[in-house]
Amino acid sequence: MTIPYGRGSSRRGPVPGTESRPGQPSRLQRTRPGARHRVASGTALYTQDVPATVIVGAQWGDEGKGKIVDLLAQDSDIVCRYQGGPNAGHTIVVGDDTFKIRALPSGIVRGKPCVIGNGCVVDPEVLIGELDDFEQRGHSTSEVYLSGNAHLIMPWHLAIDQASERRLGKLAIGTTKRGIGPAYADKAMRLGIRVQDILDAKILRQKIEVALAEKNLWLERVYESEPFDLETVAAQYEGYAQRLRPYVTDTSLYVDNALRDGKHVLFEGAQATLLDLDHGTYPFVTSSNPVASSAATGVGIGPQRIDRVIGVAKAYVTRVGEGPFPSEIEGPDQETMRELGHEYGTVTGRSRRCGWLDLVALRYAVRVNGIDQLALTKLDVLSHFAELPVCVRYRLPGGEETRDFPAHQSDFHAARPVLETLPGWSEALDDCVSEEDLPDAARRYVDLVERELGVEVTLIGTGAERTSVLTRA
Ligand code: GDP
Ligand code: IMO
Ligand code: MG
């Protein structure tokens, strides 16, 4: 079953594992309510009845999605990115090696077939850099599949992102300045250049010419920036095209066929729920839809194919960039949290703003994503706090208190956190190999999350290293 439509299709093989393991019993066990956590050993995390799992960020990003995807990828056949672009930065720590991934699905570290879906925006320079980097580190990229319907980030997208943030001044969103918003805007404007356009040098040049006729006007007259030269951009992108053509695939057909054949597929969200263009804290959001349902449109499969949604949340909260943040820590604990959690952006190196766990926002994430299970990461970072405030409600300007995320932007901007303080624990969690090893106070913290959200916490992060996860078996 080979589903290429670009050139260089001969390198394509069958959907991984399709013939060799038909009807194979699940290598992963069902997660049982009430069962205990133990260290993830690399086996038994799935059940056969959940072949399609979405991993979605439940806060403002950087929850540790990459690490959770890496964990579940070992028992998956394919890993797909369904939205976003190189604004993402996913860190995976494997012994002395650290992988910082922006464009490829995190499954690449496990050597899994990886799909970049139609919902993504692709900066060819970043993607090629990452492909080269993985090849140099001995990871094959022969099973990377790039959707022809994904949109390309062009040099003017980066220029406009930067110029527009400059112009906004105090009202700036604090974007990653990687051209994400302008690329998605052009997609909606039907002025975008798609990955499939690189399959024909003549078409590619024509599309660049049409786009530049408009973009150069904007750059010069509105943003007072330098225009781009057609020949230079066309030559640069023809170079990228030659490198990327072999990867272009009908990824919708590839993934759908794999699911029909009983394969296990992971859908990896970038960014997160509160950065979602529709459901996040607009306008301080990204320009795509990270929420779980977007996995269907972002890869091109039917929504009924998705079996399970795992939300990833930090045991506290961070946010990069501007925008309201009710549980943001005031005082020196903010800096302490940042240092202990190494909370600096993977892409931009910016300091991440730190806050106490916000259960109002997390309850909202459970709702809009349909989260079935939660992975609670970085519990170890909380070891150093004697007391742990948790935001259980918001107080609105009229004095009313709510457990539900405010629907109106002004209410959210003015919301103050109602904090319940739990006792902390001082023990490090490094040596915990099962839930029983967690200090009592840490278990009570996890219990509160489960009780308040009505969702089971099936994975607990106890360190940055790939193996530092307790899982419910
Ligand atoms: P992502 O964008 O959601 O994949 O998250 P990032 O990789 O941007 O940020 C998460 C950071 O926390 C990375 O540096 C991870 O190595 C680290 N990390 C992930 N899980 C844990 C954990 O359970 N404990 C600790 N201490 N660090 C973790
Ligand atoms: P991962 O996948 C955290 C934030 C930016 C900014 C807003 C819009 O690593 O969790 P954009 O460049 O997307 O137009 O910026 O979104 N942002 C992220 N914050 N983690 C990310 O990705 C982010 N990607 C974008 O800081 O506030
Ligand atoms: Mg990140």
Side-chain angles (χ1 to χ4, degrees):
M1 181 174 48
T2 311
I3 314 148
Y5 72 99
R7 294 170 197 176
S9 56
S10 56
R11 72 183 190 85
R12 297 286 169 211
V15 170
T18 305
E19 333 73 4
S20 56
R21 295 180 307 188
Q24 181 197 17
S26 169
R27 287 166 290 151
L28 299 164
Q29 295 167 12
R30 175 180 289 281
T31 307
R32 294 189 306 275
R36 297 290 181 179
H37 289 94
R38 61 177 178 75
V39 162
S41 61
T43 57
L45 287 168
Y46 257 132
T47 59
Q48 205 169 18
D49 59 345
V50 281
T53 297
V54 180
I55 309 287
V56 63
Q59 295 160 327
W60 274 287
D62 303 324
E63 296 90 349
K65 299 176 291 293
K67 181 180 149 180
I68 299 300
V69 169
D70 173 68
L71 178 72
L72 297 181
Q74 50 191 330
D75 293 294
S76 303
D77 298 301
I78 301 174
V79 183
C80 313
R81 274 275 304 264
Y82 58 86
Q83 47 68 233
N87 45 348
H90 303 159
T91 311
I92 297 164
V93 181
V94 184
D96 292 335
D97 273 344
T98 298
F99 297 86
K100 291 184 183 292
I101 308 174
R102 297 172 56 197
L104 288 165
S106 300
I108 191 79
V109 180
R110 295 275 183 191
K112 297 293 172 173
C114 283
V115 168
I116 300 177
N118 56 274
C120 297
V121 285
V122 178
D123 183 328
E125 190 181 351
V126 175
L127 177 58
I128 291 167
E130 221 160 74
L131 290 166
D132 289 347
D133 190 37
F134 272 97
E135 288 287 348
Q136 275 160 19
R137 292 169 84 158
H139 292 246
S140 168
T141 61
S142 65
E143 291 225 71
V144 169
Y145 300 88
L146 174 59
S147 169
N149 287 358
H151 279 244
L152 290 176
I153 296 177
M154 304 301 292
W156 50 86
H157 294 139
L158 288 124
I160 291 172
D161 199 358
Q162 286 159 17
S164 138
E165 283 283 274
R166 231 181 2 253
R167 266 170 69 101
L168 279 168
K170 273 199 202 150
L171 298 176
I173 290 158
T175 73
T176 58
K177 300 201 176 102
R178 295 311 191 265
I180 307 298
Y184 277 111
D186 275 357
K187 174 179 176 176
M189 281 284 285
R190 293 151 296 179
L191 246 188
I193 300 178
R194 293 190 292 174
V195 165
Q196 59 181 275
D197 297 327
I198 67 172
L199 297 176
D200 184 317
K202 206 166 141 222
I203 291 178
L204 178 62
R205 192 182 183 287
Q206 273 170 2
K207 297 227 170 180
I208 292 173
E209 190 171 10
V210 170
L212 265 186
E214 160 138 356
K215 293 301 162 187
N216 276 343
L217 278 179
W218 277 87
L219 281 166
E220 288 182 291
R221 301 210 184 149
V222 178
Y223 294 115
E224 294 167 353
S225 299
E226 290 299 307
F228 286 93
D229 172 57
L230 169 63
E231 298 311 327
T232 309
V233 179
Q236 183 188 17
Y237 272 66
E238 179 49 30
Y240 297 149
Q242 285 174 15
R243 175 79 168 86
L244 291 179
R245 272 177 197 138
Y247 295 100
V248 183
T249 307
D250 183 344
T251 48
S252 160
L253 190 56
Y254 174 75
V255 175
D256 188 68
N257 276 339
L259 287 168
R260 285 176 195 279
D261 288 340
K263 300 294 105 191
H264 286 148
V265 182
L266 274 188
F267 298 89
E268 171 182 355
Q271 292 79 53
T273 309
L274 297 168
L275 291 172
D276 185 279
L277 183 58
D278 287 74
H279 302 286
T281 50
Y282 192 90
F284 301 100
V285 293
T286 191
S287 298
S288 67
N289 290 110
V291 293
S293 50
S294 177
T297 38
V299 171
I301 54 159
Q304 80 281 18
R305 296 221 167 276
I306 295 169
D307 302 291
R308 173 170 68 164
V309 178
I310 300 180
V312 186
K314 271 178 194 166
Y316 50 100
V317 189
T318 59
R319 174 163 207 176
V320 199
E322 304 307 318
F325 185 2
S327 68
E328 186 163 17
I329 299 172
E330 288 163 9
D333 280 347
Q334 159 100 223
E335 190 55 33
T336 308
M337 183 86 92
R338 184 174 303 121
E339 290 307 314
L340 292 171
H342 305 291
E343 297 297 355
Y344 297 93
T346 314
V347 177
T348 58
R350 289 177 291 175
S351 294
R352 295 174 181 154
R353 299 155 65 192
C354 298
W356 302 116
L357 186 64
D358 181 343
L359 291 174
V360 180
L362 213 43
R363 189 175 295 112
Y364 176 68
V366 168
R367 163 157 54 103
V368 297
N369 291 294
I371 289 173
D372 300 304
Q373 302 171 18
L374 210 58
L376 196 66
T377 62
K378 304 191 97 161
L379 191 65
D380 53 299
V381 174
L382 297 185
S383 285
H384 304 264
F385 295 92
E387 292 190 324
L388 294 169
V390 174
C391 173
V392 289
R393 292 185 298 282
Y394 291 160
R395 185 169 302 116
L396 301 178
E400 179 198 344
E401 291 190 2
T402 178
R403 281 159 50 89
D404 293 319
F405 198 76
H408 197 289
Q409 181 183 355
S410 304
D411 284 339
F412 180 64
H413 280 237
R416 300 295 307 150
V418 178
L419 300 169
E420 188 174 309
T421 301
L422 273 67
W425 58 92
S426 51
E427 302 92 323
L429 306 186
D430 301 343
D431 297 329
C432 292
V433 292
S434 81
E435 192 185 10
E436 288 85 55
D437 301 330
L438 287 175
D440 284 347
R443 267 197 269 173
R444 281 202 294 275
Y445 193 84
V446 177
D447 286 348
L448 175 80
V449 174
E450 291 190 321
R451 206 168 52 243
E452 285 280 327
L453 303 181
V455 171
E456 201 185 353
V457 174
T458 53
L459 297 164
I460 297 176
T462 56
E465 164 64 33
R466 155 191 268 183
T467 53
S468 299
V469 188
L470 306 180
T471 179
R472 232 160 224 190

